[in-house]
Every structure is written in C-alpha cells, then in structure tokens.
Amino acid sequence: MQKELSGWLAALPIIVLVGAASMSVFVWEAGMLMPLVIGVLASAVVAAVAGFKWAEVQEMMVRGVGRALPAVFILLLIGLIVGSWMASGVIPTIIYYGLSLIHPSVFVPIVALVTGIVSITLGSSFTSIATVGLAFMAIGEGLGFPAGLVGGAVISGAFFGDKLSPLSDTTNIAPAMAETDLFSHIRHMLWDTLPAFGLSIVLYAVVGRMSASAGTADAASIGEIRTGLAGEFTIHPLLLLLPVVTVILMMKKVPAIPALAGVGLLGAVMAVIVQGMPIAAVIQAMTGGFTAETGVPAVDSLLNRGGMTSMLSTIALLVIATALGGILEESGSFEVLTRKMMARVQSAGGLIATTIFSTFVVAFASGAQFLAIVLPSRTFVPKYKEMGIDTVNLSRCVEAAGTVGINLVPWSVPAVFAAGMFGISPGQFIPYAFFVFLVPLINLIFGFTGFTIKKKTYSAEPIVVEMTKEKEAPAWAK
C-alpha cells in the first residue's frame, strides 16, 4: 500500500541530484550523466519507501522515457543536417558571405535578430542553433569577438523565436497543459517576450561595441578565412536556397521529422552534385560528422562537427532525465513539494513566484524542458482556477522558466546541446544570454505589480487534473 511522502523525503531526490550535479560539473568536470543516474537511484529508493514495487518504478521510468522518443529522433536528424550542410557547403557559404557583409559594429545585435527570425520561422531553437547559429560562431571568430558573447546572442535569438513560434512544440505543450488555447498563450507572452528581447538587443549593441577584442581582426585575417573556405568548398549563392526550403517546409506545417529528414537528404545530394564529394564521404559526414581542412585552424574547429553520433551524449541526458521525471511525477514527490508551497500562497504575486520557482526546481533537477513545463502546469492548474487567475498566466510562467530560463542550468539539455555545437562550455555563454535572464525577471515583476495578470472566473465544479496517457503532450523537440 502506498503512503504519502513527507516533505523532506519528497525533496531528497532533488537535493541529491543538485548536489551531485554541482560537484560533477564544477569540481569533478565529469558532466551530468552520473548525477542524473544518482538522481534516478535516489528517487527509486524514495518511491520504494512510499510503497511502490520495483516493477511499478520501472514502469514509471518507461512512461517517462516514452515521452522523449520523438525528441530523440529529431536530435539525431539535427546531427545529420549539420553534417550534410557542412559537406554541401551551405554553412561555409553563409560564413563566407557573412564575413564580407556584416560590419563588426552591428554584428552582435544582428546575430540575435537574425537567429530570432530564423527560429520563429522554424519553430525550433535547436535547429536554429545548429545551422545559422553555428555559422555566426564562425563569423564571430573571424571578426575577433569572444565566443561566449556570440553564443549568448545566438541563444537569446533562438529562444526568443522558439518561445513565440506557433510551430514550436514547447509553445504548444504549455497552453495544452495549462488548459488554455495556443493563440491566447502567444498573445499573452508578447508582454514579457518583446520587452526582454528589445532590451537584449540594446545590451548586445552596447556590449558588442565595448568588447575589448571585438572587431580587432584585420582585413588580412578575414581574407585568410574566406580564402580558406573558398579553397575547400564551392561557394555559390544558390546554396542558400536550402535554408529557404527549410523555412518553407516549416511554414507549410510539414511535420518536423519528415521535414528535417528531407532537408538533411537534400544537403547530401548537394554535397555530391555541387561539392563533388563521394557518396561514402557524405554518408560518413552525416553519421560521424564533417571534417574540414581549410588551412585556418579557428574555422576548422567550428566546421569539424555534426553527424548523428554527435547527438548521442545529449540523447543520453534526455533519456535519463525523462526517466527521472517519470518517477518524480508518479511517485508523488513533486506533488507533495508543490502542494506545501501552494498552501502558503495568498496573492497573485506569490502564485506567479511559486510557479516560476517550482519550474526552476524541475529544470535544475532534470535539465529537461519537457518536464519543466509539464509537471508545474499539471500541478498548478487547480490553484490558478481556485484564485480566479487565468491559466494563460500559468502557461506564460512555465514557458518563461521552463523553455527559456532552463538555459541558466549548465547541465540542462539545451545548454549542453548548445555547448556541444559551439565548442565552448555553458559557463562561457550563459552570462551573455541576456534574454534568458530577463524573461523570468519580467514575469516576477508582472506578478507582484499585477500588470498584465489576467483574471478569470471559473465554474464552481470540482477541478480535476487528469493524469492519463491520453492527456500527455508530445515530447519537446529542439
């Protein structure tokens, strides 16, 4: 017979995980796989204390991992696309023209703006980071900008677009779980997203100009990079049609997996036709990553990446994190913690703050966007309705912390993915991800001032949050 957990016992898996993660990331420098495994073991022990049998705990893990399977396929396809777009010359072409067209004085804000436009069109922060974001990293290297600054601007733009795009999975999951509609959710997010992004652009313009090393690359250095690219690849404006095709497919609402597979294969065809690469070499690039030999080490280090195998470490994090989330949710650990926090909530500001805090707790505990959105949304819906506060405020808060704010967690899946793409540590780009800091902060200000907090009268019928499989949203896909 199952029994309800005490507050301390319910919090134990999260305490153990955060402690292990802190040591592993900052002291042992061993990554997040072992801390997540330790967290799974701790949560399994707590579930056993609550009266669950091992077979039941295993089923919790299986259901949790099942939610992540679509995201696993998408991550593999992103790795394939990076490899094929490198081999085809698409990303090198973007870098080549970008070095000659973008002036250093406006480079950093341009990075955020362009990445944001691409992301809002594609509906995927991960795809934006792995394509135009990667190209901007190489251009920034050529212009002499710090990698962390450019990476932070890419992250800000990517998650600005991801947050507002009706094609984004997280933008669809949040309102579904909070029991509101998609376009009300997007309209309500304009209040926090546009001011945060506008202020970020201003900060990037200022910091970009103040950066000590920004724009110090001379014409000879930039010319060397462009010469190296032209010597390794056939550079042609027609190669830019592939990103345009990608945008069109997403705007036509072609499902993500077929669309990404299609543009990945198109990249492979262009690598054979335009670059004259043997089919075997293209397959190797899509599988294990592309290998560049431009003669410019800084550019080679950015181009030598991609391939499906490069995604395996991120996929491992996602699988273990969702297994952990399955146990935390179904064993009652998260419900106990949030219920105790909600019992003290007396005002709209307190409810908004508690929602954001709870979402960050899941973000720090699991590192998975999907869990950071779903668990708090399911838990807080009754409280919002009870207090007469429109659940559109709930969906906005979980997006602020779960979709965007999770990038502040160095071991989170989005931060680890970006670090792998950029070839730098999360600690280098997180301080410059201004948008990521500003969105949760603005929501806290709105909560305590009451500005933009919508009220709504709900029926007096008992509020029941269904936990059936049919209510589960599809896994997030970045």
Side-chain angles (χ1 to χ4, degrees):
M1 180 177 177
Q2 286 90 36
K3 61 181 181 181
E4 183 170 316
L5 298 168
S6 66
W8 280 108
L9 198 57
L12 183 61
I14 294 174
I15 294 171
V16 169
L17 175 60
V18 172
S22 300
M23 292 297 293
S24 183
V25 171
F26 300 114
V27 179
W28 304 326
E29 297 183 355
M32 266 301 289
L33 289 176
M34 275 308 299
L36 281 172
V37 170
I38 292 170
V40 168
L41 294 175
S43 61
V45 170
V46 169
V49 172
F52 291 94
K53 297 179 181 179
W54 169 248
E56 294 174 302
V57 174
Q58 186 168 281
E59 282 300 312
M60 296 175 191
M61 292 167 48
V62 169
R63 284 190 288 271
V65 172
R67 300 167 186 160
L69 290 181
V72 168
F73 286 111
I74 286 174
L75 285 170
L76 288 172
L77 287 172
I78 289 173
L80 180 151
I81 288 170
V82 174
S84 71
W85 281 27
M86 289 292 190
S88 65
V90 171
I91 293 177
T93 295
I94 296 173
I95 297 170
Y96 183 88
Y97 289 123
L99 283 171
S100 60
L101 296 176
I102 300 177
H103 194 275
S105 63
V106 295
F107 173 69
V108 181
I110 286 291
V111 168
L113 280 169
V114 173
T115 308
I117 293 169
V118 171
S119 184
I120 203 169
T121 307
L122 298 181
S124 171
S125 55
F126 278 30
T127 306
S128 304
I129 289 168
T131 52
V132 294
L134 195 56
F136 277 130
M137 290 298 293
I139 295 170
E141 180 82 21
L143 295 175
F145 283 88
L149 174 59
V150 181
V154 170
I155 294 293
S156 290
F159 283 89
F160 161 76
D162 188 286
K163 188 170 184 287
L164 289 183
S165 176
L167 303 177
S168 167
D169 55 344
T170 53
T171 305
N172 281 271
I173 289 171
M177 293 295 99
E179 299 184 14
T180 188
D181 68 278
L182 173 63
F183 289 102
S184 293
H185 169 62
I186 291 175
R187 284 194 299 269
H188 202 53
M189 287 198 300
L190 294 175
W191 288 103
D192 67 335
T193 307
L194 294 183
F197 194 60
L199 184 54
S200 298
I201 295 297
V202 172
L203 290 172
Y204 286 128
V206 173
V207 175
R209 287 179 176 273
M210 293 175 58
S211 178
S213 59
T216 56
D218 55 27
S221 299
I222 295 174
E224 182 185 10
I225 294 171
R226 298 179 79 238
T227 300
L229 289 170
E232 178 72 12
F233 301 95
T234 297
I235 303 295
H236 197 283
L238 288 178
L239 288 170
L240 300 177
L241 287 176
L242 190 50
V244 174
V245 170
T246 306
V247 170
I248 292 172
L249 288 174
M250 294 300 180
M251 291 181 70
K252 293 290 185 181
K253 298 185 179 180
V254 176
I257 290 177
L260 293 175
V263 297
L265 292 176
L266 279 175
V269 171
M270 293 175 76
V272 173
I273 296 175
V274 178
Q275 305 299 338
M277 288 186 68
I279 294 177
V282 177
I283 297 297
Q284 290 169 6
M286 293 191 294
T287 303
F290 180 74
T291 301
E293 296 178 359
T294 65
V296 184
V299 176
D300 288 347
S301 68
L302 285 168
L303 298 183
N304 291 345
R305 59 190 69 244
M308 290 184 286
T309 58
S310 69
M311 296 289 104
L312 296 182
S313 60
T314 303
I315 289 170
L317 283 175
L318 178 62
V319 168
I320 302 173
T322 49
L324 170 64
I327 302 175
L328 289 175
E329 180 181 9
E330 297 189 36
S331 67
S333 290
F334 187 73
E335 183 183 355
V336 169
L337 292 174
T338 53
R339 189 167 65 244
K340 288 183 177 296
M341 288 188 285
M342 283 191 291
R344 298 184 178 135
V345 172
Q346 302 295 327
S347 65
L351 183 58
I352 297 296
T354 303
T355 303
I356 292 174
F357 176 75
S358 300
T359 306
F360 269 117
V361 167
V362 180
F364 272 88
S366 69
Q369 285 176 302
F370 174 70
L371 295 177
I373 291 170
V374 171
L375 296 188
S377 296
R378 285 175 167 175
T379 305
F380 280 89
V381 163
K383 188 67 175 180
Y384 275 75
K385 291 185 174 182
E386 175 191 320
M387 294 182 65
I389 299 174
D390 197 325
T391 56
V392 75
N393 300 289
L394 168 61
S395 61
R396 184 174 72 181
C397 286
V398 295
E399 280 254 62
T403 298
V404 180
I406 196 170
N407 287 279
L408 299 177
V409 182
W411 53 80
S412 68
V413 173
V416 170
F417 172 82
M421 283 291 110
F422 298 157
I424 57 178
S425 70
Q428 288 178 264
F429 62 75
I430 286 176
Y432 295 106
F434 302 137
F435 181 73
V436 177
F437 288 94
L438 290 169
V439 171
L441 177 61
I442 288 174
N443 275 274
L444 286 173
I445 294 171
F446 287 168
F448 286 108
T449 62
F451 182 63
T452 78
I453 302 301
K454 292 182 67 176
K455 302 295 180 68
K456 184 175 180 179
T457 301
Y458 290 91
S459 66
E461 297 177 2
I463 299 165
V464 178
V465 180
E466 297 289 343
M467 304 296 278
T468 62
K469 291 182 181 179
E470 288 74 23
K471 289 282 287 186
E472 291 175 356
W476 63 270
K478 295 295 163 220

